[in-house]
Structures are given as structure tokens and as C-alpha cells.
Amino acid sequence: MQPDLIIRGANLPDGREGVDIVVADGLVQAVGPRIPAEGREEIDAHGLLVTPPFVDAHFHMDATLSLGIPRLNRSGTLLEGIQLWGELKRVLTVEAVVERALAYCDIAVAQGIQAIRSHVDVCDDRLTGVHGLLEVKRRVAPYLTLQLVAFPQDGLYRSPGARENLRRALDMGVDLVGGIPHFERTMEDGRRSVVELCELAAERGLMVDMHCDETDDPLSRHIETLAAETRRLGLEGRVAGSHCTSMHSMDNYYASKLLPLIREADVAIIANPLINITIQGRHDTYPKRRGMTRVPELWAEGVPVAFGHDCVMDPWYSLGSGDMLEVAHMAVHVGLLTSQEAMRRCFDSVTSVPAAILGLDGYGLEPGCRADMVVLDARDPVEAIRLKAARLQVLRAGKVIAQSPPRRAELRLPGRPSAVALRRG
Ligand code: FE2
């Protein structure tokens, strides 16, 4: 049978070069050098990196693209962002959530993202965000996997009705249990919220992804309870701690005890470098802490670490463009992750690692995987991060669903070439 598509001469994220990828019936059929077959269509990817799609492990799609409604965040702090989101929530409609989220999904797909785990605020008796994002999840399903986390933004105990609303959201089809223990009024309330939410997840057979210790307070140690509860309830491999920025400020001795517990519990950590480099350290004079969790130490311990985008043009962050290479680029800088190996791992933290955390079926470039992939205007993952490379083609099940031209500029300079590409060679 003639294959539907063959991508010729691709470089892969694992370092293989000059590989052909054969696609039929929406699946990868074969991967190898110079495969003697002729596809109905062929894409010449000689010297270009072909990767499975980007996966955003942490996002807030109910708030995205709402920048300036009803006003801008003046201080730039997390707390003013939460307050501002509270003002916006009061006037939010399902239609507006759906319209903005679909617009963001268009941008995300154009940037090669094909799976997003989005938290959705349940501290609103109307559950506007839940209604909106469940509709969006259904509508984008053919081209984008959307996982939703029931997120009590204003605190499980701090916000009246949140406990009941969170359960209602799960009943309506929201996929995961979320939480925000550091935002409860006391450490004890935070600890209790982690216990209750993990028990709820165990009861319902759901995964957990909790905003955990998004603070510079080194004594914010809810990740410890999250890992311990994961083990107690047998939730290993189904739990993620998001942000975990207090780990940046923790005492090294305590961290040396904490990291093995996280690994033993098989808890994944999701850092959000774009947001936490702007939100953390706000109470510091100088030096100002960077506020990203301890990525290299987690890697050394064998803990899976993904990077999320978290916010795009919303009450917390005015910037962002759905570009997971920008996220990885920021992680490289904030975490001093500049060795070649560390930069390659940062690429994995926006592709294969979050795919595993989300439990995506058929992800990858091995035979039998769904033929979802992105052809990048870069030779390898390091160049892709350096240039935030153009997504030349984005394919879903072997069909091109988005494409962009390579980034080139015409030059009008005496004695110089008439055009320049951002890539070297
Ligand atoms: Fe978040």
C-alpha cells in the first residue's frame, strides 16, 4: 500500500539525523534512513528538526487573552492578579470564555502545541469557566487535546462554596483535581486541603495537579504533604505539583530530604518560568530571588520536570504568544541550564516529558504513534530554543493543520547579500 506521506531526511530530538518518517492512516508506520517507498505526498525536511508536538502542562485558559478587562495589573504581583481576576470573574460570560479560549487555541496550534492541561477556576457558583472550557474541549478535540483541572483559585476553604463547586465541576466532566494550599489562610488549612483533595482524587480515580507553594516563603512546604499523601493513597504516577517556587528559597538541608520523597512518590513537577521570574521575588529588595523551582536538582533526583506557559495576556501576565520554545528559553536562563545537555532536556520539558505527565496516548515518533509532529526551521533542539524557530509545518494525524514561512529578511545593504535567514548554515 502506498503511504499517504513521507517526511524525508528529518533530524529528531534524540539526535538521529537524516531519518525518513512514513505515515499511513494517520499513524507513523516506519522511521529510518532512506526508506525505499514513495508517498502520495512528501515533505523535504533535510537538515530540519521534526519533533512530536509541543505540550503545555500548565495553563489558565479561562483567563487567557483577557488583558485589560476590566483593568491592568498595576503592581504586577500574583496577589493583585488574583484580585483582578476576581473583578473580571463577576462580569465573565460563557460566550466570552469560549471565544477567547478558541482564539488562543488557534494561536497554540499555529505554534505547534497539540495538548494543553488548563486549570479552570471553580470559585464561582455559576461555574462560568467550567461551562466555557468544557465546550471548548469538545470543539477543539479533533486537533488539540485539552485536559481540565478543577482549580479552587480563591482557596478550597477560603472561598465559600469552593468545596461543593469543585465536586460539581468534576461531576460535569472536568478531568483532574486541583488545589492551592499556600493560598489558604493557615498552614494547617493548606495541609488539610491537600489531604482532602488527594482523598477525593483517590475516591474518583482521578489525577491531581495542584498549584503548590507558589510563594517565596521557604516554610511553604505543602509539596511535602502532597508527596506523602500520594504515597499513602497509592496515587503514584498520577500527581503533579505545579509552580513549587518556595523550593527555590528552601534550606538546602530540608531540600535534600524533600527531593527523595518527591521521587519516591513519583510526583511530577511543573515549573512555569515565564511567570515565576516576573511574579516571585517581589518582596525582595536586593538580591532578588529568581523563584523558579530547583530544576537541575529535581533532574538529578530523577523527578520528571515539565515547563508550562501558565498565562498569556491575562491578569497575571501581559505578554506571551503560545510559544513553548519561549518558555524553554526562559527556563534555560532562569535556571542557568546552559549546558548542551541541559538545553536538550529543556526541549524535552516542553514536549515528551509533559506528554508523559498528561498521559497522552499515541504520542511520539515511533511506529504506531499518531502522526502528530512539527517541522521546525532549526537543525536541533538547541537551535530551536535559540531562535524560537518557525513552525514550518504542524501535522495532526499526518495532515498539515498549520504552516508558517521560514524567518528571513530582505536586506538592502551595500556589498551584503540581498537576504538573511536567522539560521546559520
Ligand atoms: Fe498557574
Side-chain angles (χ1 to χ4, degrees), residues 58 60 211 243 310:
H58 186 109
H60 294 263
H211 282 65
H243 293 285
D310 203 10

Side-chain angles (χ1 to χ4, degrees), residues 58-60 119 151 211 214 242-243 272 275 310-311:
H58 186 109
F59 197 64
H60 294 263
H119 297 252
F151 175 46
H211 282 65
E214 190 180 6
S242 278
H243 293 285
N272 296 287
I275 306 312
D310 203 10
C311 299

Side-chain angles (χ1 to χ4, degrees), residues 50-65:
V50 177
T51 177
F54 296 106
V55 176
D56 184 356
H58 186 109
F59 197 64
H60 294 263
M61 203 177 279
D62 47 1
T64 196
L65 305 185

Side-chain angles (χ1 to χ4, degrees), residues 352-373:
S352 56
V353 176
I357 294 172
L358 269 64
L360 299 180
D361 283 333
Y363 179 92
L365 291 180
E366 292 80 50
C369 292
R370 192 171 57 209
D372 300 344
M373 54 195 112

Side-chain angles (χ1 to χ4, degrees), residues 15 31 155 190 198 200 272 354 374-375:
V31 179
C198 286
L200 180 63
N272 296 287
V374 183
V375 183

Side-chain angles (χ1 to χ4, degrees), residues 251-329:
D251 173 75
N252 284 340
Y253 183 85
Y254 175 70
S256 75
K257 180 166 159 278
L258 174 67
L259 294 176
L261 173 64
I262 296 173
R263 177 188 34 84
E264 283 161 36
D266 201 3
V267 167
I269 301 295
I270 301 168
N272 296 287
L274 286 172
I275 306 312
N276 290 123
I277 195 63
T278 57
I279 277 180
Q280 307 314 128
R282 289 278 175 164
H283 293 255
D284 295 350
T285 52
Y286 290 93
K288 286 188 191 293
R289 285 167 286 178
R290 297 178 181 219
M292 187 165 78
T293 196
R294 298 190 183 204
V295 175
E297 291 79 7
L298 287 160
W299 281 345
E301 193 62 46
V303 175
V305 180
F307 302 140
H309 204 316
D310 203 10
C311 299
V312 170
M313 296 182 73
D314 69 10
W316 296 274
Y317 190 59
S318 307
L319 306 172
S321 60
D323 185 350
M324 296 309 293
L325 289 171
E326 184 174 297
V327 172
H329 189 269

Side-chain angles (χ1 to χ4, degrees), residues 26-60:
L27 301 175
V28 175
Q29 300 289 337
V31 179
R34 288 180 298 282
I35 293 177
E38 202 177 310
R40 258 183 221 105
E41 265 183 73
E42 301 220 347
I43 292 176
D44 180 6
H46 281 92
L48 298 174
L49 178 63
V50 177
T51 177
F54 296 106
V55 176
D56 184 356
H58 186 109
F59 197 64
H60 294 263

